[in-house]
Amino acid sequence: DGGITQSPKYLFRKEGQNVTLSCEQNLNHDAMYWYRQDPGQGLRLIYYSQIVNDFQKGDIAEGYSVSREKKESFPLTVTSAQKNPTAFYLCASTGQGNTGELFFGEGSRLTVL
Amino acid sequence: SQQGEEDPQALSIQEGENATMNCSYKTSINNLQWYRQNSGRGLVHLILIRSNEREKHSGRLRVTLDTSKKSSSLLITASRAADTASYFCATDASSGYSTLTFGKGTMLLVSP
């Protein structure tokens, strides 16, 4: 079945450590996105990519990094520079010619101990 | 950046009742979308309404859009316990690929 797979679902990290969240899609979508969600809050855009080897910062990119080496994959690294990394991270994608509907993965919950 | 704001923040109803959620936004849009999120899960797209549309239906969902008031409403008719979730509106002001801006959501609880 086509979809977006995020891993891991739960992740614990010590302060000062970098961590990479995986996002893979088999929908043949060109554009991919990373959002952060805090309790009781909406989604905030971290980074997005519309094409391989190209990506743009969203509203809260500081302390995060991404890469887009393959169309199917858009990993997010939460660096030690991110001051408050504990959150629920959501990856999404949309296809060329799409109406704008986003398809989301099931999310990764990161907790910094 | 522009952002949709949902109202109310939380809504509690009985099964069979209708649920209405509202969304207001600040700037011109190309389209407005509604998403649903079950607790701890990803978001699921429900419906999209374009700026030149006033009303749209999908099953038990009815969405209206008033661009003069910069507002939208989502009506869920004959609600079920399975409709319990958070509902988000998202606005799209871009051409080409989406860069949606999400509101904080309405948490809907439907009791049996």
Side-chain angles (χ1 to χ4, degrees):
Chain A
D1 287 356
I4 299 179
T5 301
Q6 289 187 241
S7 64
K9 189 168 179 63
Y10 299 96
L11 186 61
F12 298 89
R13 182 195 104 175
K14 294 182 179 179
E15 282 191 17
Q17 291 180 335
N18 292 355
V19 62
T20 296
L21 307 180
S22 171
C23 178
E24 303 276 335
Q25 55 99 358
N26 60 4
L27 299 167
N28 199 33
H29 284 171
D30 289 310
M32 298 186 73
Y33 306 79
W34 274 105
Y35 285 91
R36 170 181 172 140
Q37 185 178 31
D38 293 285
Q41 300 295 312
L43 278 64
R44 292 184 290 168
L45 183 63
I46 305 173
Y47 269 99
Y48 64 102
S49 168
Q50 297 178 343
I51 196 169
V52 173
N53 292 324
D54 188 42
F55 47 82
Q56 287 77 41
K57 293 182 179 179
D59 299 320
I60 56 165
E62 185 176 351
Y64 299 98
S65 66
V66 293
S67 63
R68 187 85 186 277
E69 297 177 0
K70 298 185 302 181
K71 186 176 184 177
E72 300 79 16
S73 179
F74 191 41
L76 173 74
T77 297
V78 184
T79 75
S80 57
Q82 169 50 235
K83 294 180 180 179
N84 187 19
T86 295
F88 189 51
Y89 291 89
L90 288 157
C91 180
S93 71
T94 190
Q96 185 176 12
N98 194 279
T99 56
E101 171 188 350
L102 291 183
F103 294 80
F104 281 86
E106 287 297 297
S108 293
R109 186 169 300 280
L110 172 63
T111 302
V112 174
L113 305 173
Chain B
S1 59
Q2 67 179 25
Q3 183 179 39
E5 290 289 340
E6 291 89 344
D7 172 63
Q9 290 185 326
L11 180 61
S12 183
I13 60 174
Q14 300 290 318
E15 267 192 326
E17 295 180 339
N18 295 343
T20 299
M21 289 159 267
N22 303 296
C23 172
S24 60
Y25 57 93
K26 297 177 182 176
T27 62
S28 296
I29 59 172
N30 290 326
N31 67 65
L32 185 144
Q33 303 178 35
W34 286 91
Y35 287 80
R36 165 194 169 125
Q37 183 182 35
N38 285 50
S39 181
R41 306 291 296 273
L43 277 71
V44 175
H45 181 264
L46 294 176
I47 196 164
L48 179 151
I49 186 165
R50 300 190 184 282
S51 60
N52 61 354
E53 297 175 312
R54 292 297 168 259
E55 187 171 314
K56 205 162 183 180
H57 296 255
S58 177
R60 293 185 295 112
L61 305 180
R62 172 179 168 248
V63 169
T64 62
L65 179 64
D66 187 335
T67 53
S68 67
K69 295 181 179 179
K70 292 185 170 59
S71 67
S72 174
S73 67
L74 171 67
L75 169 67
I76 304 174
T77 60
S79 61
R80 306 165 182 168
D83 294 327
T84 294
S86 292
Y87 292 83
F88 295 88
C89 70
T91 53
D92 179 7
S94 63
S95 57
Y97 288 105
S98 299
T99 51
L100 292 179
T101 303
F102 287 81
K104 294 183 179 181
T106 292
M107 190 177 300
L108 173 66
L109 172 64
V110 182
S111 301

